[in-house]
Amino acid sequence: TKLHQEFERTLITEEIGSLPHRELLVDIGCATGRETLEHAHGFRRAVGYDVSPEMIAVAQKKVAQLPRVHLSFQVHDVEQGLPLPDHSASFLYMNLGTASDVRNIPYVLEESARVLKKGGQFLFSFYNAEALVYRSFLPWPPNLMAEFSHDRHCMDVRYVTEVKRVTRVERMDDT
């Protein structure tokens, strides 16, 4: 778990470093805000969303102790859309497998594309299909799973029964 956390943290840091702008950072499934606080520096503004009021309360206490930060935490279910204007976010992410817990991932992807600025990027992290949590606790069959291969430097993404190998995702349109 620690290696995976460090891998994702490094990947997020690298992707942020390649951004052409740093207007708004969006952390979906921010929990207590630990990762949001780590990655928010250098952005004009950052926001963390989580469905748990208890987690957001902890995150808000952390922010209250900081001097002059442009960071907020809000209780929000991403499956209801993103409460952000079009083309407003520079970087958006769901890390530590959070995207695996979203039932309507196609809608969340649409919303992410809507709010990203030109040149903006997103990163969604999925648990792999064999993760203990999915064998034991998930009340619905997962429709999208991914597994990163350190050896092959790629990610195998399974959507229902189809598997695609991803080496790096680049946006093909002008947005």
Side-chain angles (χ1 to χ4, degrees), residues 14-26:
E14 288 173 0
E15 292 302 313
I16 287 172
S18 72
L19 292 172
H21 44 71
R22 292 191 185 149
E23 298 296 321
L24 175 62
L25 172 79
V26 181

Side-chain angles (χ1 to χ4, degrees), residues 11-12 15 19 26 28 89-94 105 108-110 112-113 115-116 119-126 169-171:
L11 183 59
I12 290 168
E15 292 302 313
L19 292 172
V26 181
I28 298 173
S90 296
F91 191 72
L92 183 143
Y93 67 99
M94 282 194 277
I105 202 71
V108 176
L109 287 168
E110 287 175 25
S112 299
V115 302
L116 280 174
Q121 296 189 33
F122 73 93
L123 182 139
F124 288 179
S125 170
F126 298 87
V169 176
E170 298 287 339
R171 291 200 59 161

Side-chain angles (χ1 to χ4, degrees), residues 46-149:
V47 62
Y49 298 116
D50 201 282
V51 295
S52 168
E54 293 81 11
M55 294 287 191
I56 292 298
V58 172
Q60 288 172 336
K61 285 180 185 175
K62 290 178 183 178
V63 171
Q65 299 170 5
L66 300 174
R68 289 192 72 210
V69 294
H70 301 287
L71 174 60
S72 64
F73 292 101
Q74 299 173 24
V75 176
H76 183 72
D77 181 353
V78 68
E79 292 192 67
Q80 304 302 311
L82 290 168
L84 297 167
D86 294 356
H87 314 294
S88 59
S90 296
F91 191 72
L92 183 143
Y93 67 99
M94 282 194 277
N95 66 329
L96 304 176
T98 303
S100 297
D101 297 325
V102 176
R103 289 183 189 208
N104 191 355
I105 202 71
Y107 177 66
V108 176
L109 287 168
E110 287 175 25
E111 279 291 280
S112 299
R114 178 186 64 79
V115 302
L116 280 174
K117 295 174 70 68
K118 184 177 181 176
Q121 296 189 33
F122 73 93
L123 182 139
F124 288 179
S125 170
F126 298 87
Y127 288 124
N128 67 58
E130 298 304 314
L132 180 61
V133 70
Y134 291 105
R135 284 193 254 154
S136 305
F137 305 110
L138 194 64
W140 62 85
N143 63 358
L144 183 63
M145 295 293 217
E147 183 173 10
F148 183 77
S149 169

